Amino acid sequence: HQADINLTAQEALLEQALEYKYSISGVNLDEEAANLLRYQQAYTASAQVVSAADQMFQTLLNAIRR
């Protein structure tokens, strides 16, 4: 029973130490991964906007040439 109590206490200390480490270093890997996904989605959305604008421009140019 005492070993379980010691294990729980050590796990809590480890968690606190990791949180302190992340607060000092300023890097949280989960947060960084979430940011990368958000940036990737923004990049994809921007590429779609550029593609749609290009299609509209090409359509206008073709309409004027005729």
Side-chain angles (χ1 to χ4, degrees):
H1 180 67
Q2 186 63 38
D4 287 336
I5 293 172
N6 288 340
L7 175 63
T8 303
Q10 290 298 318
E11 287 173 340
L13 287 173
L14 175 62
E15 183 66 28
Q16 287 177 351
L18 289 174
E19 287 178 13
Y20 179 73
K21 174 186 165 187
Y22 290 142
S23 72
I24 296 299
S25 69
V27 176
N28 182 329
L29 296 180
D30 291 334
E31 186 177 336
E32 292 298 320
N35 286 337
L36 285 175
L37 286 174
R38 192 170 11 145
Y39 297 144
Q40 181 182 19
Q41 290 172 344
Y43 179 82
T44 301
S46 296
Q48 290 175 348
V49 168
V50 169
S51 178
D54 181 56
Q55 288 177 355
M56 287 190 305
F57 186 68
Q58 292 300 322
T59 300
L60 286 172
L61 284 177
N62 288 335
I64 293 172
R65 289 181 187 161
R66 292 182 183 174

